[in-house]
Amino acid sequence: MNIKQKKNSAFMFLFGIFISSIGSTSFIIGLMAFPLKMGISAAIIGAAIGTGRVTGVLVNFFGGPIGDKVNPRKLILIGELGALLSSMAILTTSIHLANDNYLLFVVAIGLRSVFTGIQSASIQKIGKIFDDEIGLSGQFAKYLNKATFGSI
């Protein structure tokens, strides 16, 4: 692969991360807005958001050394598929929240955070690989932060 192809691959990687971060951001905004509209208490919404944040931090902290030993592309694929399935579980449980199905809703949000936490370390690792291959001297991390608004 020549340098132009590597730069194109790096651009597509950043673009994909940008699109994914838009989805993650809109998920958090929707998580705060829609349950309130449905009459769910702020305490349940706070528990769901808190579960998501704490789970993500724990996965990054404890899963980082494991992620260093596994192919980052495989982890991103597993993370994307897991996040998709857990997002579908969130949608399914949120439809039935009127039946006091809060625990499954909060667990689904925690699972989604596990999968997005798995992704974030792999994204940084692939960014480092691109940085070394293209010869950007550490500039790729700066572009990666701009593409994701620091959200990963």
Side-chain angles (χ1 to χ4, degrees):
M1 190 183 295
N2 65 30
I3 194 74
K4 184 164 178 66
Q5 290 172 324
K6 288 179 183 179
K7 286 183 178 181
N8 286 340
S9 293
F11 173 78
M12 291 306 295
F13 176 71
L14 287 173
F15 185 72
I17 292 169
F18 175 72
I19 296 300
S20 181
S21 67
I22 289 173
S24 294
T25 303
S26 59
F27 168 75
I28 294 296
I29 292 168
L31 183 61
M32 291 183 283
F34 294 119
L36 279 174
K37 187 98 170 139
M38 294 168 49
I40 307 302
S41 74
I44 299 295
I45 297 168
I49 292 172
T51 299
R53 293 295 183 197
V54 169
T55 306
V57 168
L58 291 175
V59 167
N60 282 326
F61 182 74
F62 292 110
I66 297 168
D68 288 339
K69 298 173 186 163
V70 180
N71 181 350
R73 289 181 178 99
K74 182 186 287 187
L75 284 180
I76 287 177
L77 180 63
I78 290 169
E80 281 293 334
L81 290 174
L84 172 69
L85 292 174
S86 56
S87 294
M88 290 170 60
I90 291 167
L91 176 64
T92 303
T93 57
S94 68
I95 291 170
H96 303 290
L97 278 178
N99 300 334
D100 296 331
N101 205 6
Y102 302 128
L103 181 61
L104 291 175
F105 181 68
V106 172
V107 168
I109 289 171
L111 281 174
R112 186 179 184 282
S113 294
V114 166
F115 289 114
T116 54
I118 287 170
Q119 290 175 319
S120 67
S122 299
I123 289 169
Q124 295 294 335
K125 190 172 180 180
I126 289 176
K128 174 75 170 108
I129 292 168
F130 274 130
D131 194 50
D132 292 342
E133 287 180 354
I134 297 173
L136 291 175
S137 304
Q139 292 296 311
F140 197 86
K142 184 172 108 176
Y143 297 130
L144 186 61
N145 247 355
K146 284 182 179 180
T148 61
F149 303 108
S151 66
I152 59 169

